[in-house]
Amino acid sequence: MYTDIRRLYGVGSARAAAYARLGVYTVEDLLCHYPRGYEDRGSVRLLSECEGDGKSALILTVATEPKSARIRGRMSMLKFRACDDSGICEITFFNQDYLRAVFTPGTSFRFYGRVEKKGNRYAMTAPAYEPWREDGTLPSLVSVYPLTEGLSQKQIAKDMRAALVIANSKGEGEDPLPDTIRRKYGLCLQAFALRNIHAPDSFEALAAAKKRLIFEEFFTFALGLSAASAQNARTAAVPCPVGDVSPLEDQLSYTLTGAQRRVIDEIRRDMAKDTAMSRLVVGDVGCGKTVCAAAAMLIAVQSGRQAALMAPTEILARQHYGELRSLFEPMGISCELLVGATAAAEKKRIRAGLAAEDPDKRVSVVVGTQALLSEGVSFAASGLVVTDEQHRFGVNQRAILSEKNQFSHLLVMSATPIPRSLALALYGDLDISTIDEMPPGRQRVDTFVVDESYRRRLDEFIRKQVAEGGQVYIVCPAVEESEEEQADLSLGEIGEEGVLRKQAPLKSAVGYARELTERFPALSVAFLHGKMKSKEKDEIMRNFAAGQIEVLVSTTVIEVGVNVPNACLMIVENADRFGLSQLHQLRGRVGRGNRKSYCVLVSAAAEGASNARNRLNVMKTCYDGYSIAEKDLEMRGPGDFLRTNGDTSIRQSGGIKFRLAELCEDTGLFRAAFAEAKALVAEDPELKQYPLLAARVNAMFTREAGTMN
Ligand code: ADP
Ligand code: MG
């Protein structure tokens, strides 16, 4: 069914290795390596019309014989002139003397690149070029692919053409989408979609291709979820009927809210039954979901069972562990932490404790990351599994975890509020408990949306907050400097009118922290990102919590749960890059103590009126996570909720990776895909009549599981 990438002519082991770095192993994978953007080479301009920093397409005729010259040792430079009706342009290439034979005087080419204007002369350096053909067969939209070392755009384009020939040779019968569904939603055939996502005939064809491929992604995802929930449907579980949470309440320094009590009651009733609980707890950031999980864990332990809690990141796992241990140990309940960084001997001890048949030697409560899923971890008397989903749909993990924990109850905690329509689609197999009440005494975090012109005032504000003893978070979307460039041409930025929208450069946490250290020599600045070793991350978080670090520059790793009550200012750079729910979650990191707290969203989009600005403005007036989530869904579509963000630690733990659907703004398409998937699974739960679809579902869910670490 799959064709090894090396079957393509010209792809040897070296190029295959480069492709492997992109996660591309087969011809089918290659076809799913979608462009990150398109160059509009169809809108041809005259030299005199080129201005600004953007790239232009021009048709120029070579006017002079190319001349090459040696420069600096081994380097060589090839120069010639080419012209159109409006002017003359000097074109330069480096180390490509063989091009002398290509650019013969009198021949015309379509060049694409940046035109520099020096006085009334023009110049281009190493532009892209294609021999000009007047018959209209030169493509107007040229794909730009994500690259890796050892691969060039040209090579990928060439291999893609070969892969498309293979794809096109497949008949209509080989389209994985059932015909009826395809027709119902006006979706094009797969072969057409693949051809046009890679080599679009027109903007219309590209839009049709995207629609079809996005639907297919949603549909595949929805099928996987529906199939999983069909399997999970009400399995048997060991009942946990004792359920007295008063010892836990005695440990707390506060009293439970009415909403927390109600949710704990729902959990208690579920767990007393001999069918497995499958419950999702949703609630705004800071509403106190953790203690509900703790109550569920206590109920399991009271019936002689074990409870496991799995968090998406190590930082979060450690924090949950700290909190839970301080609650459970005074009750004489053993509590352990199992993460990737746990020492081998320690892991062995914990694994033995989890598997111990003797209840006196058994570990009752374990908190961890996906390390809990690794082989060798087994539970002697599992009773409850809690997952902290961070709405990242760790569907595979959930499946593996429940396999390891047969006959246990399942509790899922969502990190951020999810609009109800989405929750029903994504968690249709779960009963939903809502915590709709905040603990008393929470302060409101005043929120501002500003552009670069406020930078100086913002710097002053940072100094002032620190001088008064407060601490500051600065969140940047990108991790490394190389990612800044990567990010400026993404598939999503092609607007209706087909124009690539230019975006403000992304601030990288690493580079920015360095810059700030220089700008604020008197302050202690540190940075934190997901690619750091967990020991380093921990140390920085500890130092920040202890007040030794005053300004913490970070990627969204701090989005998840960390609690530093002294932090009173949250600055988010390139704020338009984040979903509103994510911003709400970030804002929840401040205002946790007594200090008056602020959140400043910095965005180039803050000037003028724009969609992005309107979106950000929602944050100024809206402080309720649910309304924010609903607005986000309305304004950006479901893609935003599926987006895995730039931080690898989160991406790795997150489960499914979407290729195009993250960009989808069409809620209707999303709903349709889920409705159709549900209907199809009801009719044919194992997709026996749809082997192509079954294979897709498998690829989406298992490939991701395989790449987890
Ligand atoms: P989330 O729902 O975002 O996971 P947490 O469970 O982390 O929220 O709770 C946030 C904070 O609120 C914690 O410091 C917790 O101790 C505190 N908290 C939880 N419930 C209450 C309550 N009923 N009264 C006061 N504080 C509470
Ligand atoms: Mg939480």
Side-chain angles (χ1 to χ4, degrees):
M1 159 109 213
Y2 296 109
T3 317
D4 192 300
I5 189 84
R6 280 169 298 191
R7 296 279 293 278
L8 294 179
Y9 179 77
V11 180
S13 52
R15 202 181 301 176
Y19 273 124
R21 282 198 289 278
L22 293 171
V24 170
Y25 302 93
T26 64
V27 171
E28 290 72 19
D29 291 339
L30 182 64
L31 289 166
C32 290
H33 186 62
Y34 300 130
R36 65 183 166 90
Y38 301 87
E39 289 173 353
D40 178 7
R41 298 193 191 173
S43 316
V44 174
R45 291 188 203 165
L46 290 172
L47 279 166
S48 59
E49 294 168 338
C50 297
E51 51 184 55
D53 276 347
K55 293 184 174 181
S56 309
L58 304 123
I59 296 165
L60 303 176
T61 305
V62 179
T64 63
E65 194 80 48
K67 288 213 172 69
S68 90
R70 297 237 142 247
I71 49 166
R72 273 190 276 132
R74 299 234 191 103
M75 289 262 280
S76 75
M77 186 165 76
L78 188 77
K79 270 187 192 294
F80 59 93
R81 287 185 180 172
C83 58
D84 64 14
D85 289 343
S86 73
I88 297 176
C89 181
E90 183 165 70
I91 297 179
T92 309
F93 286 92
F94 292 100
N95 295 332
Q96 290 174 70
D97 279 354
Y98 61 91
L99 291 179
R100 202 180 336 194
V102 174
F103 295 113
T104 49
T107 52
S108 298
F109 292 84
R110 185 171 75 181
F111 291 98
Y112 184 81
R114 206 160 69 85
V115 178
E116 281 172 87
K117 194 168 182 214
K118 299 173 184 162
N120 50 9
R121 299 190 31 206
Y122 302 95
M124 290 180 96
T125 305
Y129 59 90
E130 298 141 298
W132 173 239
R133 290 193 300 260
E134 295 203 36
D135 56 4
T137 53
L138 272 187
S140 12
L141 289 169
V142 175
S143 299
V144 182
Y145 291 98
L147 293 179
T148 182
E149 208 182 309
L151 272 178
S152 68
Q153 295 291 352
K154 275 204 164 139
Q155 282 166 335
I156 295 186
K158 173 174 162 287
D159 295 339
M160 199 62 82
R161 276 194 294 278
L164 284 169
V165 171
I166 297 178
N168 276 323
S169 67
K170 291 184 178 171
E172 192 168 335
E174 288 178 70
D175 196 314
L177 276 190
D179 228 31
T180 45
I181 294 181
R182 215 173 43 71
R183 283 175 205 283
K184 187 166 165 190
Y185 298 99
L187 303 168
C188 64
L189 279 167
Q190 187 186 43
F192 178 91
L194 288 175
R195 195 172 70 241
N196 279 285
I197 196 87
H198 292 294
D201 289 332
S202 64
F203 283 113
E204 294 74 42
L206 174 59
K210 269 194 190 169
K211 179 178 172 191
R212 142 85 207 213
L213 293 171
I214 287 172
F215 184 92
E216 189 176 313
E217 236 171 52
F218 279 145
F219 188 61
T220 308
F221 178 56
L223 282 172
L225 289 187
S226 306
S229 64
Q231 273 166 23
N232 283 350
R234 301 298 165 237
T235 51
V238 179
C240 301
V242 184
D244 173 17
V245 297
S246 54
L248 175 70
E249 289 189 67
D250 293 343
Q251 297 292 324
L252 299 174
S253 57
Y254 51 82
T255 49
L256 295 173
T257 62
Q260 285 169 323
R261 269 178 221 288
R262 179 172 44 73
V263 169
I264 292 172
D265 269 345
E266 284 165 357
I267 292 171
R268 196 201 336 251
R269 272 200 298 273
D270 280 357
M271 289 181 67
K273 294 180 191 156
D274 60 2
T275 49
M277 166 172 78
S278 299
R279 186 167 286 282
L280 171 72
V281 177
V282 289
D284 205 348
V285 187
C287 70
K289 291 181 285 286
T290 317
V291 70
C292 298
M297 296 174 107
L298 177 62
I299 291 168
V301 174
Q302 283 170 338
S303 287
R305 312 301 297 179
Q306 294 165 295
L309 186 151
M310 190 168 83
T313 64
E314 203 162 314
I315 295 184
L316 194 58
R318 285 178 191 276
Q319 189 183 314
H320 279 319
Y321 171 67
E323 211 173 319
L324 292 174
R325 194 181 58 168
S326 71
L327 293 173
F328 285 135
E329 283 196 340
M331 294 185 247
I333 296 170
S334 54
C335 189
E336 299 284 356
L337 175 73
L338 188 67
V339 294
T342 307
E346 180 78 353
K347 272 186 185 153
K348 200 170 154 198
R349 181 183 66 76
I350 296 170
R351 282 201 303 259
L354 288 171
E357 290 301 332
D358 179 353
D360 293 330
K361 294 188 180 141
R362 197 184 286 156
V363 170
S364 297
V365 171
V366 67
V367 178
T369 53
Q370 44 204 309
L372 287 175
L373 302 179
S374 54
E375 271 169 55
V377 176
S378 67
F379 295 83
S382 175
L384 172 74
V385 173
V386 183
T387 64
D388 201 341
E389 290 272 306
Q390 297 295 328
H391 79 226
R392 297 195 208 278
F393 326 125
V395 185
N396 300 308
Q397 290 104 315
R398 239 205 274 160
I400 301 174
L401 204 56
S402 60
E403 226 163 78
K404 278 189 193 287
N405 296 273
Q406 281 187 352
F407 307 117
S408 14
H409 299 281
L410 174 71
L411 188 68
V412 179
M413 300 197 291
S414 94
T416 47
I418 310 170
R420 200 155 176 85
S421 59
L422 269 187
L424 287 175
L426 295 172
Y427 300 103
D429 54 325
L430 306 179
D431 298 317
I432 299 181
S433 288
T434 310
I435 305 184
D436 50 8
E437 183 184 346
M438 291 298 268
R442 286 290 150 86
Q443 62 156 300
R444 196 174 123 143
V445 177
D446 283 349
T447 302
F448 304 90
V449 180
V450 304
D451 60 34
E452 280 302 322
S453 65
Y454 281 75
R455 185 62 71 187
R456 294 247 314 261
R457 265 183 273 176
L458 194 50
D459 284 0
E460 276 315 304
F461 196 53
I462 293 174
R463 285 199 188 89
K464 178 164 172 274
Q465 294 304 323
V466 174
E468 289 170 4
Q471 285 168 282
V472 181
Y473 285 112
I474 301 180
V475 173
C476 303
V479 183
E480 284 167 11
E481 269 140 339
S482 62
E483 289 182 26
E484 289 182 43
E485 289 149 39
Q486 280 270 330
D488 73 350
L489 192 70
S490 74
L491 190 58
E493 308 313 329
I494 297 198
E496 299 274 298
E497 68 285 17
V499 178
L500 271 176
R501 277 188 231 121
K502 215 174 141 67
Q503 295 226 339
L506 289 184
K507 285 230 184 293
S508 89
V510 180
Y512 196 45
R514 210 183 299 129
E515 192 187 318
L516 284 180
T517 319
E518 287 160 18
R519 226 157 71 208
F520 298 112
L523 306 187
S524 109
V525 181
F527 75 92
L528 184 73
H529 62 77
K531 286 183 185 165
M532 288 162 84
K533 296 216 175 68
S534 62
K535 239 176 104 178
E536 282 176 280
K537 280 193 286 199
D538 271 7
E539 195 180 321
I540 290 175
M541 261 339 283
R542 260 201 314 275
N543 289 343
F544 188 64
Q548 283 151 11
I549 294 168
E550 290 158 333
V551 179
L552 182 64
V553 183
S554 120
T555 58
T556 49
V557 275
I558 59 136
E559 177 190 349
V560 288
V562 256
N563 201 4
V564 179
N566 195 45
C568 61
L569 174 58
M570 161 70 59
I571 296 173
V572 184
E573 300 285 351
N574 301 98
D576 49 298
R577 288 300 178 120
F578 296 90
L580 293 184
S581 294
Q582 215 179 353
L583 290 174
H584 179 65
Q585 177 87 358
L586 286 170
R587 180 168 64 183
R589 300 302 105 211
V590 295
R592 300 192 146 228
N594 303 326
R595 285 179 187 282
K596 170 74 198 137
S597 298
Y598 306 89
C599 173
V600 182
L601 306 175
V602 187
S603 162
E607 359 162 5
S610 68
N611 226 346
R613 187 204 167 112
N614 291 341
R615 221 165 55 78
L616 290 177
N617 278 343
V618 169
M619 301 300 293
K620 293 201 292 196
T621 50
C622 200
Y623 289 85
D624 159 44
Y626 275 99
S627 329
I628 289 176
E630 295 285 354
K631 289 230 169 71
D632 216 8
L633 180 62
E634 207 176 282
M635 296 172 102
R636 290 244 285 206
D640 203 55
F641 285 85
L642 306 179
R643 191 187 306 272
T644 47
N645 57 42
D647 204 293
T648 37
S649 69
I650 292 176
R651 191 183 307 150
Q652 279 167 4
S653 70
I656 310 303
K657 184 174 169 220
F658 294 90
R659 294 173 189 273
L660 288 172
E662 285 181 20
L663 309 168
C664 181
E665 296 177 4
D666 184 350
T667 312
L669 204 61
F670 175 84
R671 294 221 180 108
F674 272 83
E676 294 298 341
K678 209 166 196 174
L680 199 72
V681 167
E683 166 210 319
D684 182 356
E686 285 158 51
L687 301 178
K688 283 202 177 106
Q689 295 170 59
Y690 305 94
L692 291 172
L693 272 180
R696 295 239 135 195
V697 174
N698 245 327
M700 182 183 247
F701 284 78
T702 54
R703 171 63 68 83
E704 291 304 322
T707 54
M708 273 177 4
N709 59 359

